[in-house]
Amino acid sequence: MVVIDGRNLTLEQVYQVATGKAPVALAPEARERMASRRQGIEARLSAGEVIYGVNTGFGRMADVVIPPESLAELQLNLLRSHACGVGAPFPREVVRAMLLLRANVLASGYAGVRPEVVDRLLELLNAGVHPVVPSQGSVGASGDLAPLAHLALVLVGEGFAEYQGEVVPGSEALRRAGIEPLALAPKEGLALINGTQAMAAVGCLALLEAERLCAAADVVAAMSVDALEGTDVAFLEEIHQARPHPGQVASARNLFALLSGSQIRESHRSCSRVQDAYSLRCTPQVHGACRDALAHLRAKLAIEINSATDNPMVLADGRVVSGGNFHGAALAAAFDYAATALTDLASISERRSARLVTPEQSGLPAFLVPEPGLNSGFMTAHVTAAALVSECKTLAHPAAVDSIPTSAGREDHVSMGTWAARKLAMIVENLRFVLAVELLEAAQGIELRRPLRSSPALERALARLREQVPFLQRDRFLHADILKAAAVLGELSPEELLAAS
């Protein structure tokens, strides 16, 4: 059970809920805090105060005061008018993360909504009712308005949702799940859509996958170094302590340890080669830079998922004030940084793959197949990797430097953080297949060095791949091999492989 209080949610808990591995509940202290802040909103309404988004219009229409009898309609109209996203729907896991993150934001109390709103969001999660949320249409300020409006519409029995594998109208999904539609009180429609939860949901899941791939990349690179008869000297601890970027030191330590005990390495220790190519020798520097970029993004997301991103906000003293916490700049810049670093990681992987299939550079049969010419081997698998890396280079163009005015100029600077998050997720997916190609080639190269064996840790990694993908003796349907190798990457933790050795 994940218990949310608006302050202590972790990225790992987001993953557990997004993948359906844990139910969610609201902490009692958060429920009390929400009820207290809600009383402040209602007291000010009773006193006749004018509060943005509670009894006024939105954006440029903030100066239009709405009469009390129309306040519920105002909030429902907001959801309906803002649910205008387009494009392919977000995956189920992203939608579940969005539900969780929006509930956690509201649990902080700053939105001033009733606890019942969070209860209903958690009911959707726990019952497996997943709103259909188009992925395009957010500029990342005033938060993710369009995606979150699609999310919130299902709460009131509108929009569409996926339930038990079928997409149905929101009202039908609620009926089948035994959930009552929510009747919105003043401010609650606005509170459901003002925030960064679409970009944060996409970013959280992309980060967690990127971290797994970054760790696996050390294993795959070490296999390539051994298959290419590279040296482990470039990974000596003292070299990297002289330039102690944390990620670089960690990656170098992994590479050196993973190669320890390799017969292939020992077989050429006295050879005449002075230096390896940069794609081998500089692996810790590139992989390390990626590790550091992901650490930066992790720190940003850890703050964001426990932050209040509403507008207006109900302060502890009861004041209701306008601010700009919905602006996604902090995340957009971090997503772009991570996207650049991951693209570089994909690029160096592709360069190692290219060396492996080039006999003049590898000393192995052309395209890593025993009978080249009759067989094409990994020729076009490498082309696939090259194509994906070029896609990544285009996708890595920063989104955070772009802005476009909206809402008749009232919202005149936006973050594009949701596009930054979506691009990051695309790059992570591309990276997975680029590394899968390198894994297939590196494993093939090691086995072409037989009877010499690689290190115990790398032989374990190779054995895990061979459980799914056999040695390529002659040409076959490589698409399936790449998909299987991509799945195996999740099992290639340097720490676990070294401990098992």
Side-chain angles (χ1 to χ4, degrees), residues 2-15 17 24 97 100-105 204 301-303 305-306:
V2 172
V3 180
I4 59 170
D5 60 8
R7 298 172 177 174
N8 296 292
L9 186 65
T10 69
L11 295 173
E12 285 66 31
Q13 287 174 323
V14 173
Y15 178 79
V17 174
V24 195
L100 173 67
L101 295 180
R102 195 63 213 159
N104 195 53
V105 166
C204 282
L301 282 168
I303 293 171
I305 65 175
N306 290 296

Side-chain angles (χ1 to χ4, degrees), residues 107 118 141 148 151 156-157 177 214 249 302 350 454 458 476 495:
V118 172
L148 290 173
L151 193 84
V156 301
C214 196
V249 171
E350 182 274 329
S454 188
L458 296 182
R476 61 171 180 258
E495 293 78 12

Side-chain angles (χ1 to χ4, degrees), residues 378-400:
F378 291 95
M379 178 190 295
T380 308
H382 166 253
V383 173
T384 296
L388 293 175
V389 170
S390 280
E391 281 191 15
C392 290
K393 291 173 184 177
T394 302
L395 290 167
H397 180 83

Side-chain angles (χ1 to χ4, degrees), residues 431-500:
L431 172 63
R432 195 160 64 90
F433 291 117
V434 172
L435 288 173
V437 170
E438 185 188 358
L439 174 60
L440 289 169
E441 291 185 14
Q444 186 85 357
I446 285 174
E447 290 195 295
L448 287 170
R449 300 286 183 191
R450 297 293 192 232
L452 297 176
R453 298 185 65 79
S454 188
S455 69
L458 296 182
E459 289 288 346
R460 286 181 61 84
L462 191 153
R464 290 187 184 179
L465 176 66
R466 289 292 174 248
E467 289 173 3
Q468 303 298 324
V469 181
F471 179 81
L472 187 68
Q473 189 66 40
R474 57 184 59 85
D475 285 346
R476 61 171 180 258
F477 183 48
L478 282 183
H479 167 78
D481 289 4
I482 294 171
L483 295 183
K484 291 174 182 176
V488 170
L489 287 170
E491 303 175 22
L492 301 186
S493 160
E495 293 78 12
E496 191 272 334
L497 288 170
L498 289 166

Side-chain angles (χ1 to χ4, degrees), residues 97-378:
M98 286 173 63
L99 286 166
L100 173 67
L101 295 180
R102 195 63 213 159
N104 195 53
V105 166
L106 299 180
S108 72
Y110 281 106
V113 303
R114 298 168 297 154
E116 289 90 329
V117 178
V118 172
D119 289 338
R120 205 58 53 86
L121 286 167
L122 299 188
E123 281 187 76
L124 295 188
L125 263 177
N126 292 332
V129 176
H130 305 122
V132 175
V133 181
S135 58
Q136 294 175 280
S138 175
V139 295
S142 302
D144 290 313
L145 296 174
L148 290 173
H150 283 276
L151 193 84
L153 265 183
V154 174
L155 285 178
V156 301
E158 298 190 15
F160 290 88
E162 178 264 320
Y163 181 67
Q164 294 183 341
E166 184 180 0
V167 173
V168 295
S171 57
E172 177 64 12
L174 294 184
R175 187 192 67 77
R176 292 185 188 183
I179 299 172
E180 286 293 320
L182 180 69
L184 296 172
K187 193 182 183 299
E188 290 180 344
L190 181 60
L192 283 163
I193 69 171
N194 241 184
T196 59
Q197 284 65 58
M199 68 179 83
V202 174
C204 282
L205 298 180
L207 168 69
L208 292 165
E209 176 65 10
E211 288 177 332
R212 288 187 285 270
L213 292 176
C214 196
D218 283 351
V219 178
V220 176
M223 293 175 71
S224 291
V225 169
D226 222 18
L228 290 165
E229 293 188 329
T231 179
D232 56 359
V233 172
F235 312 139
L236 286 170
E237 179 93 6
E238 187 174 352
I239 293 174
H240 301 279
Q241 289 297 345
R243 190 201 193 198
H245 293 290
Q248 178 180 328
V249 171
S251 182
R253 188 176 293 129
N254 279 341
L255 288 159
F256 191 84
L258 286 164
L259 287 162
S260 179
S262 168
Q263 293 176 1
I264 300 173
R265 173 67 188 101
E266 291 306 318
S267 72
H268 60 89
R269 191 170 288 277
S270 301
C271 71
S272 60
R273 190 189 306 170
V274 176
Q275 293 180 332
D276 286 330
Y278 286 4
S279 59
L280 306 185
R281 191 182 355 146
C282 299
T283 294
Q285 287 79 5
V286 175
H287 287 208
C290 192
R291 285 172 173 265
D292 291 343
L294 295 181
H296 174 75
L297 177 55
R298 173 175 274 272
K300 289 293 184 183
L301 282 168
I303 293 171
E304 189 73 11
I305 65 175
N306 290 296
S307 296
T309 56
D310 303 278
N311 182 55
M313 293 174 65
V314 183
L315 304 184
D317 62 7
R319 286 180 295 160
V320 182
V321 298
S322 290
N325 277 1
F326 49 70
H327 198 288
L331 290 186
F335 291 148
D336 284 344
Y337 175 26
T340 302
L342 288 166
T343 296
D344 200 25
L345 184 63
S347 177
I348 198 170
S349 171
E350 182 274 329
R351 287 294 80 205
R352 291 189 297 260
S353 289
R355 298 189 75 82
L356 282 161
V357 296
T358 305
E360 294 80 8
Q361 296 176 345
S362 69
L364 295 166
F367 304 111
L368 299 169
V369 69
E371 294 182 77
L374 175 63
N375 296 283
S376 294
F378 291 95

Side-chain angles (χ1 to χ4, degrees), residues 71-107:
L71 295 187
E73 184 182 0
L74 172 71
Q75 299 301 311
L76 184 56
N77 284 345
L78 177 69
L79 298 187
R80 289 168 172 166
S81 66
H82 283 52
C84 50
V86 297
F90 282 119
R92 177 189 297 178
E93 291 78 10
V94 170
V95 172
R96 289 184 61 81
M98 286 173 63
L99 286 166
L100 173 67
L101 295 180
R102 195 63 213 159
N104 195 53
V105 166
L106 299 180

